[in-house]
Amino acid sequence: MKRLLTNIHRLVHVDESHRPYLKGGEMNDLKEIENGFLEIENGLIKRYGPMSDLHASDIAGVSEVLNCEGKWVMPGLIDSHSHLIFAEPRAQEFEDRIHGLTYEEIAARGGGILNSARKLADMDEERLYMDAMQRLHEVIKTGTTAIEIKSGYGLSVEAELKMLRVAKRIKRRAPIPVKITFLGAHAIPPEYKGKEDDYVDLVINEMLPKVAENELADYIDVFCEKGYFSAEQTDRILKAGAEYGLRPKVHVNQFNAFGGVKTCVDNNALSVDHLEVMNDEDFEVLKNSNCMPVALPSCSFFLSIPYTPGRKIIDSGLPLALATDYNPGSTPSGNLLFVWSLACIQMKLTPQEGLAALTQNAAYALELESSMGSISIGKKANLLISERMDSLGHLPYHFGRNSLFEVIINGKPYCKLEP
Ligand code: NIG
Ligand code: FE
């Protein structure tokens, strides 16, 4: 099955260098082809180039030609951090924050993650699956072409496994690549108050072996934060995960910096996520690693907390990825186009840097960089076609609006796929 995209105004982020990720100045140096074409065969990128290289004989055997006149084509966006599976929205907490309570105060009263865990315990697997699938279809329309999904609203052996089974079912059925992260250490359940280490033991000795035995996760995560899990507890959990081959992707430095980033890097973390608060040591540790810093600007937007210093991270020569953090408490949105806008408006990334962070660097944060993240021969044809526009900045500039003409998944326009 061959498809051809022709007369592409600009084909963005073409790259045959096989770099795993882009760092520092490389992020603003994406290569483009003006007036180009792209050929897709069996869901993969077969060939691309300027229209002058396309001959009449190339059209033979092509089942569909899509004229992209005036439109831009780029790699599909990748969401490397989401909590897509949850039971109910938490709009009451949203109103409580309007009336002055902080996210941390709401959590201390038994709201927050514990509120979501109570609701999830009562919900059956089928409903969790159907709701999350609907969210997945929604986010694909705003450009998400691969996604990570975490557990973490279970907080008991039974409920964590339930979430992960739902995630695995989504992974099997989803039209886009899905990676699953075990986040048993998301919060301390109330019955473990005062005996937090016992809960860490439960995660390590009861949950992890079952997660591994049933092959329910690709990665392990911990909420390394004051009032949640200390750097020492995080270290224990990550080391236990490594025994089962689970690489860390960790929530760290959301509100406080206390050495968590070093703990993650020492444990060979694939990514460190949040990083709203960073000190000099965190920068030094990251400079000597292959760990991807991941910023979640729509969480900062929704909670009115500081933004990750994305500009400083890139200017230090480091790479940066962007993700949504889609969850009912701190980020009730899975819209990566909005994340792109916030990265430009609030973190002062250029539109090119934003795209690099949402494609190639996000692919690295999910170990998908050899099959996704750039326009490269042999990579998956998960692509975005914009509406007619004059500059890449058009997409993040129109914040809150979907300026995509089409999302291509496995070489086919997504809206034409079966629901
Ligand atoms: O990434 N910070 C920890 N976990 C989630 C929020 C979870 C929630 O509030 O339900 C986050 O922001
Ligand atoms: Fe998160």
Side-chain angles (χ1 to χ4, degrees):
M1 183 75 151
K2 276 193 191 178
R3 269 197 177 74
L4 202 55
L5 311 185
T6 58
N7 302 311
I8 301 166
H9 185 53
R10 294 276 170 100
L11 181 60
V12 193
H13 192 20
V14 296
D15 188 20
E16 298 299 335
S17 70
H18 303 288
R19 286 170 291 181
Y21 54 78
L22 302 178
K23 56 185 191 315
E26 295 168 351
M27 292 179 67
N28 198 36
D29 189 26
L30 304 184
K31 301 282 175 286
E32 293 175 2
I33 291 178
E34 207 176 331
N35 193 23
F37 76 93
L38 185 140
E39 187 184 323
I40 299 167
E41 190 172 47
N42 299 327
L44 303 178
I45 298 170
K46 170 98 186 299
R47 193 163 83 98
Y48 59 82
M51 280 302 283
S52 53
D53 286 358
L54 190 69
H55 306 294
S57 58
D58 295 325
I59 313 281
V62 170
S63 44
E64 194 179 351
V65 178
L66 190 60
N67 182 354
C68 296
E69 209 166 333
K71 303 183 174 82
W72 295 48
V73 174
M74 64 206 76
L77 310 182
I78 294 175
D79 194 351
S80 70
H81 181 137
S82 97
H83 307 252
L84 195 74
I85 301 168
F86 56 84
E88 299 284 347
R90 303 208 308 257
Q92 183 55 51
E93 293 177 13
F94 169 63
E95 292 195 34
D96 292 343
R97 283 193 302 102
I98 292 169
H99 292 114
L101 286 180
T102 67
Y103 180 75
E104 287 147 303
E105 283 163 350
I106 290 166
R109 294 170 155 203
I113 296 165
L114 299 181
N115 182 2
S116 280
R118 281 192 299 276
K119 286 175 172 151
L120 186 128
D122 295 334
M123 190 169 273
D124 70 76
E125 247 169 273
E126 187 61 23
R127 169 88 192 277
L128 280 172
Y129 170 77
M130 295 301 284
D131 287 357
M133 263 317 221
Q134 193 181 331
R135 286 178 204 122
L136 183 76
H137 288 297
E138 224 167 82
V139 301
I140 293 173
K141 289 182 199 144
T142 45
T144 302
T145 64
I147 194 166
E148 181 253 24
I149 302 175
K150 298 175 192 296
S151 69
Y153 292 128
L155 308 182
S156 69
V157 179
E158 194 190 331
E160 279 297 307
L161 293 176
K162 174 163 92 173
M163 277 194 88
L164 290 169
R165 280 194 302 271
V166 171
K168 194 167 172 180
R169 199 168 150 206
I170 295 172
K171 182 176 179 154
R172 280 207 211 99
R173 305 264 181 89
I176 63 172
V178 172
K179 294 281 183 115
I180 304 174
T181 302
F182 167 53
L183 176 54
H186 197 187
I188 307 280
E191 59 274 25
Y192 285 89
K193 204 159 188 239
K195 39 180 187 167
E196 288 77 9
D197 281 323
D198 289 358
Y199 184 66
V200 174
D201 290 341
L202 184 83
V203 170
I204 293 175
N205 300 325
E206 304 292 331
M207 294 183 188
L208 249 178
K210 294 200 174 68
V211 170
E213 185 190 329
N214 295 294
E215 296 180 2
L216 291 173
D218 302 294
Y219 303 113
I220 187 159
D221 192 350
V222 177
F223 188 14
C224 180
E225 184 55 63
K226 281 190 186 158
Y228 294 83
F229 298 88
S230 67
E232 293 70 28
Q233 290 167 330
T234 301
D235 186 58
R236 275 188 65 205
I237 295 166
L238 299 187
K239 286 197 163 52
E243 300 272 315
Y244 295 99
L246 300 180
R247 250 183 112 177
K249 287 173 68 63
V250 185
H251 283 76
V252 65
N253 287 41
Q254 182 175 6
F255 300 107
N256 297 283
F258 51 81
V261 172
K262 182 169 182 335
T263 303
C264 297
V265 168
D266 287 348
N267 283 286
N268 190 32
L270 179 59
S271 71
V272 281
D273 302 32
H274 272 292
L275 306 176
E276 286 86 343
V277 181
M278 284 180 81
N279 61 29
D280 292 346
E281 190 210 344
D282 297 326
F283 275 90
E284 279 317 304
V285 166
L286 285 172
K287 277 184 198 163
N288 296 309
S289 80
N290 286 319
C291 177
M292 180 62 66
V294 180
L296 309 166
S298 42
C299 173
S300 299
F301 172 78
F302 189 71
L303 293 185
S304 306
I305 62 173
Y307 285 81
T308 304
R311 181 72 267 145
K312 190 172 165 194
I313 289 174
I314 297 172
D315 288 345
S316 310
L318 289 167
L320 180 73
L322 292 162
T324 63
D325 198 15
Y326 193 1
N327 75 74
S330 72
T331 320
S333 159
N335 186 335
L336 281 173
L337 292 173
F338 183 58
V339 167
W340 192 354
S341 298
L342 286 177
C344 294
I345 298 162
Q346 299 288 354
M347 293 163 53
K348 307 294 176 212
L349 267 63
T350 65
Q352 283 76 8
E353 288 169 335
L355 185 65
L358 284 162
T359 57
Q360 186 159 350
N361 289 358
Y364 177 85
L366 291 182
E367 295 178 296
L368 290 172
E369 71 275 13
S370 58
S371 60
M372 292 188 75
S374 58
I375 304 290
S376 315
I377 290 165
K379 284 197 176 181
K380 195 182 258 302
N382 281 13
L383 311 167
L384 308 185
I385 306 177
S386 75
E387 61 186 12
R388 295 173 81 93
M389 59 187 201
D390 292 329
S391 73
L392 187 66
H394 179 101
L395 289 174
Y397 157 80
H398 279 290
F399 74 91
R401 170 170 181 259
N402 186 345
S403 308
L404 300 177
F405 171 73
E406 197 84 81
V407 178
I408 305 282
I409 302 292
N410 296 319
K412 301 185 198 81
Y414 180 67
C415 57
K416 292 188 186 157
L417 292 177
E418 292 298 308

